[in-house]
Amino acid sequence: MDRWVQSACVLCSNGCGCDIAVKDGRIVGVRGRADDIVNRGRLGPKGLHGSWQAHGKDRLTTPLIRRNGELRETDWDTAMTTIVRRSQDLLAESGPLSHGFYTSGQLFLEEYYTLGVIGKAGLGTPHMDGNTRLCTATAAAALKETFGSDGQPACHADIDLCDALFLFGHNMAATQTVMWARVLDRVKGPGRPRLVVVDPRRTPTAEAADVHLAPLPGTNLALLNGLVRAVIEHGWLDREYVDRHTLGFEELKATVEPYTPEHVAGICRISPADLMRAAEIFGTSERVLSTVLQGFYQSHQATAASCQVNNLHLLRGQIGGPGSGVLQMNGQPTAQNTRECGADGDLPGFRNWDNPEHVEELARLWNVDPLTIPHWAPPTHAMQIWRYAEQGSIRFLWISATNPAVSLPELGRIREILRREDLFVVAQDAFRTETTELADVVLPAALWGEKQGTFTNLSRVVHLSEQAVAPPAGARSDLDIFLDYAHRMGFRDRDGDPLIKWKDAEGAFDAWRECSRGRPCDYSELSYERLRGGSGIPWGGERLYADGVFPTDADYCEDYGHDLLTGASTTPADYRARRPDGRAFLKAAEYTPAQEQPDDEYPFLCTTGRSVYHFHTRTKTSRAPELQKAAPDPWVELSAGDATGLGLSDGDVVRVESARGFVEVPVRIGRCRDGVVFLPFHYGFQAANELTPTEWDPVSKQPLFKISTVRIRRV
Amino acid sequence: MHLATYLGLLHTSLGTLADAFREVAKGHGDEPDVERTCEVLASRIDAQAEKLSPIVDRYGEHRETEPERLHTAEFEQTRTGGVGLLRDLQDLYALSSFTDITWTVVGQAAQGLRDKELMDVVSACEQDTARQLAWLKTRIKQSAPQALIVAKG
């Protein structure tokens, strides 16, 4: 071992501080950083094995280009010239709306910001989003709807300080193992907090709970409406806080009024007594911490259900204090930065696309005409970008650091889109994936540890990840690739100077600091220098909103909000008329049944999710022997009752089939409630997303991975 | 009294509107958000009609002369493609605007008659109609540039 290089882990949203061990110019291991506030030295299985073991295997080291239907090796200049020519031809022919960008939750802040400026001020296309749409779009949406802006109110230390912990649709033991270890410190230690878990499966997380609520997939909002009603009904609320710091109490109360325990129990198929026990724990604990994740985000009425979690905290004034708050979780390690930097469907710096002054600010900062920056409607969400590509109006799609041919819903459709003759697809990745195989140009990218940059975790903690080793010869950092494209395209500002004025990661970070100055995610006090040594540092301080003042002021807020039932935008005039002035919104919606309901043909509800051993589509984790060995193949989980009903035993291979596609996988018995089956989503073969529907939440536009109806038969 | 005529008109136009939303949902299944939201809104319009029913009964669905001139245009077949979607949403917007102003007219009469029951129905339904219009406008604004500038067919 020659040296340790400071970094943080990119294999889940926890973002554990770590050091990379380097020997003879290669990465040979990692260790946790003991003084980091996020993980205190711990690392999880994915971080320990998956973060670095893939680096030397199967790497893309030369660009590929499609010739006569085959991907052939080429050189960088040919690849980039081809991309730029296609881009310029399309701009001349039909303008910037022909271009779409689909990025990731895996790149660094500097790369997202650079991409954001290229798209928004260079090309001027609104069609930019990331796979963060699949994982954290609802977190961002729920925070914006309630508090006026994105930004996690709570922090990791709140796990140590809470009296009650609520995990809403969050299988933490599988998704954030180090965070779960911190919970276990409490659950197995003195002064145990009460734990409530909402999940249709009896996961190890649920087994640790005092109350496990297992609502039928698609009924989260009914459950939450019931919890909110119970808290109000029993007077477990801080009326003074509600009066001073919130808007909309009477509407909220009226909306949840019909959701009696019995009514909710009937919809969700849970016991009314369990519901009341959970409500009582929420209503009577002194310090409540809640986390929310995919079980809510990827399900029916996602934003409305997640906003109800915010509402529970507001009703009790449990926000911003030690041990009391909410974490609308992220899934991926750098998802927060996709949202902050404008590489997804947002403007950089949590700016409001519907506020002309915010657009002016960006135009001044970038020295471009404000009309260049698309702001006539919300930036286009991923599912709509794919739809435009399907319809042939987007003809240039640049995919970076993600594998949509495995991760998007209804894969048969996605493959057809990627194969379209009139769609030019650029895929930028470290490995060949199911997606690169369908691209027109493939660009080999450097991985974490092979480049420098920063990223921000689920509790706003910013880490600097230094370059530990050189990328394999032929691979380039995503930042260098974007900078090369910008240079070749000749993007200029109003004075004729290059639009992008930085040449490296630190330059990009400094430009971002200026962009974020004065906004809720203000990085102006942070620098590479400050981030070196010690712990990662949160923007905005340890917790947000301790003073009960929220970023809802009409001139400051990130969004004017939506109707939670339909996603209709609130107009600027209507928003101002409510005079939020720092008060949070208690928003709610009625429960409506999900579109997919079990019937004779498809009698089971299928939900998809994660394994503790894999991350996303396994591009890294399948190349780490320990992880691959632990979970090499996909499977389907059934309840014991359903397995008996179908005459199935453990290991029997079955076909699980929806109206859209099927997989053939072995059966595992247990975990699920009756009527519900589970598929892990990571695998590119027998892929769960062959089955999932093209449907999304009306507000966050997050696809509904957690609810498709299926039938099962032995193969 | 013409209120009864107007209540009849409103009742019929709610039926037309709900049918139109369902028609658009059916015709645009490839736009899942449009399909889903139109279905949700259609069922809420059914609920509006249901709320109105007892009042229509109370005043009697009595029509004065020239009823045909008070009829709303029926929604015809859905169109296809980006521009087709835009036009269908615009048609919904027009139909929805018509019921919106009709609720306003009926609401004014309700106040003149001090009919509290009708006033409450109008107030709830006006909010619901505002939601329809807001959603349609949001979706139309989102679709328009792509449909008019780059869409094919």
Side-chain angles (χ1 to χ4, degrees), chain B residues 11-135:
Chain B
H11 208 226
T12 317
S13 67
L14 286 172
T16 307
L17 183 62
D19 289 348
F21 268 104
R22 289 205 169 88
E23 196 63 34
V24 172
K26 215 166 68 193
H28 293 282
D30 288 339
E31 314 290 344
D33 60 328
V34 171
E35 180 188 15
R36 182 69 188 148
T37 313
C38 284
E39 279 167 1
V40 167
L41 291 173
S43 64
R44 295 188 67 97
I45 297 162
D46 294 344
Q48 288 189 26
E50 232 169 83
K51 277 189 197 139
L52 191 62
S53 274
I55 291 161
V56 171
D57 292 345
R58 180 147 56 79
Y59 284 95
E61 233 177 285
H62 170 255
R63 286 156 205 255
E64 299 284 319
T65 49
E66 296 188 311
E68 72 280 4
R69 283 182 57 191
L70 277 171
H71 254 291
T72 50
E74 298 272 328
F75 184 86
E76 288 171 17
Q77 241 188 340
T78 51
R79 305 162 175 94
T80 57
V83 178
L85 172 68
L86 197 59
R87 289 286 291 111
D88 286 345
L89 293 174
Q90 268 187 277
D91 278 356
L92 286 182
Y93 194 88
L95 285 173
S96 183
S97 302
F98 183 83
T99 58
D100 183 49
I101 194 66
T102 311
W103 277 116
T104 305
V105 168
V106 168
Q108 294 301 102
Q111 295 197 51
L113 289 167
R114 300 173 198 165
D115 184 336
K116 185 74 174 57
E117 188 193 359
L118 181 54
M119 281 161 65
D120 288 346
V121 171
V122 170
S123 160
C125 293
E126 276 183 330
Q127 281 178 37
D128 214 48
T129 310
R131 162 186 268 160
Q132 286 160 29
L133 289 167
W135 176 74

Side-chain angles (χ1 to χ4, degrees), chain A residues 446-478:
Chain A
L447 284 168
W448 168 91
E450 298 167 350
K451 59 181 184 177
Q452 187 185 40
T454 55
F455 60 97
T456 306
N457 80 343
L458 64 91
S459 55
R460 293 171 285 103
V461 177
V462 187
H463 284 104
L464 173 63
S465 179
E466 299 276 18
Q467 181 173 353
V469 297
R476 294 184 184 175
S477 78
D478 299 87

